[in-house]
Amino acid sequence: MKDILTLATDVVHSRRMILKLAKNDFRKKFAGSYFGFIWAFVQPVITVLVYWFVFEVGFRSSDTSLPVPFLLYLVAGIVPWFFFQDGWNGGTNSLIDYDYLVKKVVFNISVLPIVKMVSALFVHLFFVVFIIVLYCFYGHYPTIYYLQLIYYSFGLCVLTLGLVYMTSAAAVFVRDLTQVINIILQVGVWMTPIMWVAEERLVNYPLLAKVLKLNPVYYAVAGYRDAFIYHNWFWQRPLWTLYFWCVTILILVVGLWFFRKMRALFADVL
């Protein structure tokens, strides 16, 4: 817990530098391209449209029990997944991408994973607005339940940050870790689940449904859908909420501990 308090203090003291580095990181991803940062939004939108076409038009597997069109159900789940995916992928390479800062003795390298997280948050905020506009287009206007998006986004940030501190420290020594994470994310998007309705498909498999809920990202995805579609509050699922935060805090504590243990070796390896 001391590591968590130290991290919170570092974030407060370095907040301006973190924001500046995050802006530069966001611009650097698309430096030299003609459309620049627009590509950060185009690719996820195309991905959503492809999934919608495959499941709604190609397979015609839209679930008629859904209270909203399948497209709305899909985007409400896939947008938090995009954030988790970008945050974990980008954060894992944070020390490698900023190796010139890691080698500086006076620089506090513990804020580098947060820089990548804030950079991913820029895109995420755009897509949250995009979802709201899309729902309004279909006649589903904002409600008070939308306030939960702040809570679920924060929880997803903390969870992703805990993973990033572990994997960014490990990636310095094992560069293949990035490829392993990509495989995990490819499988995870189906097991979370994003593309299908677990409550309907697994009604005859209660044990499998409980196993899927052990994935903490599922909690955030379900939370976004509760805010946009089902209009449930997070405290209506107290045990699941308690489980999520216990797992998330444990991951963050272990991640910070591992990062602190390894940080003395980063500059030599890089």
Side-chain angles (χ1 to χ4, degrees):
M1 297 306 294
K2 181 180 178 181
D3 288 336
I4 295 179
L5 294 176
T6 301
L7 176 63
T9 303
D10 291 341
V11 170
V12 172
H13 289 166
S14 307
R15 60 188 182 278
R16 292 182 179 177
M17 181 188 66
I18 291 173
L19 185 59
K20 182 178 180 180
L21 287 174
K23 290 179 179 178
N24 292 336
D25 183 84
F26 182 72
R27 295 192 190 101
K28 187 174 65 175
K29 291 178 183 178
F30 310 99
S33 61
Y34 186 78
F35 290 102
F37 67 88
I38 294 177
W39 290 114
F41 311 111
V42 170
Q43 184 175 353
V45 169
I46 291 177
T47 302
V48 169
L49 291 176
V50 169
Y51 283 139
W52 169 80
F53 181 81
V54 169
F55 288 96
E56 183 84 356
V57 180
F59 290 162
R60 297 185 181 275
S61 59
S62 178
D63 198 320
T64 56
S65 67
L66 290 175
V68 296
F70 179 73
L71 176 62
L72 298 185
Y73 181 84
L74 174 63
V75 296
I78 205 169
V79 164
W81 177 265
F82 281 153
F83 175 53
F84 172 71
Q85 177 180 272
D86 292 345
W88 196 10
N89 261 330
T92 297
N93 294 317
S94 57
L95 299 180
I96 298 172
D97 291 345
Y98 290 98
D99 58 345
Y100 59 94
L101 293 177
V102 175
K103 296 173 184 178
K104 289 186 176 181
V105 179
V106 295
F107 187 83
N108 185 5
I109 62 174
S110 62
V111 302
L112 290 178
I114 300 177
V115 169
K116 293 287 188 177
M117 189 66 56
V118 175
S119 178
L121 190 59
F122 292 153
V123 180
H124 181 63
L125 292 176
F126 166 83
F127 277 105
V128 169
V129 175
F130 170 77
I131 294 178
I132 294 174
V133 173
L134 184 63
Y135 269 69
C136 288
F137 179 79
Y138 276 86
H140 299 272
Y141 299 101
T143 67
I144 192 173
Y145 293 95
Y146 282 26
L147 294 176
Q148 292 186 111
L149 297 175
I150 300 173
Y151 162 76
Y152 285 113
S153 295
F154 174 75
L156 200 54
C157 276
V158 177
L159 172 65
T160 310
L161 202 58
L163 292 171
V164 163
Y165 273 107
M166 279 191 283
T167 56
S168 62
V172 173
F173 307 95
V174 184
R175 300 298 176 94
D176 292 341
L177 183 60
T178 303
Q179 305 304 322
V180 174
I181 291 175
N182 284 331
I183 294 174
I184 293 174
L185 291 171
Q186 286 177 3
V187 176
V189 72
W190 297 100
M191 300 302 295
T192 300
I194 304 294
M195 314 300 175
W196 49 285
V197 187
E199 293 81 1
E200 298 291 337
R201 303 296 184 183
L202 300 179
V203 65
N204 296 322
Y205 305 94
L207 180 59
L208 182 56
K210 291 180 180 179
V211 170
L212 288 181
K213 287 187 176 182
L214 295 178
N215 174 5
V217 183
Y218 185 15
Y219 174 81
V221 169
Y224 271 67
R225 285 172 172 159
D226 279 343
F228 282 109
I229 303 172
Y230 299 109
H231 296 166
N232 296 318
W233 294 105
F234 67 88
W235 57 74
Q236 293 178 249
R237 293 169 171 164
L239 293 180
W240 200 11
T241 298
L242 179 63
Y243 166 78
F244 170 81
W245 282 109
C246 287
V247 171
T248 296
I249 292 174
L250 177 62
I251 291 174
L252 180 61
V253 169
V254 173
L256 289 171
W257 172 82
F258 183 70
F259 188 91
R260 177 168 51 84
K261 289 293 183 182
M262 297 291 104
R263 67 183 298 168
L265 305 174
F266 293 158
D268 294 334
V269 176
L270 292 172

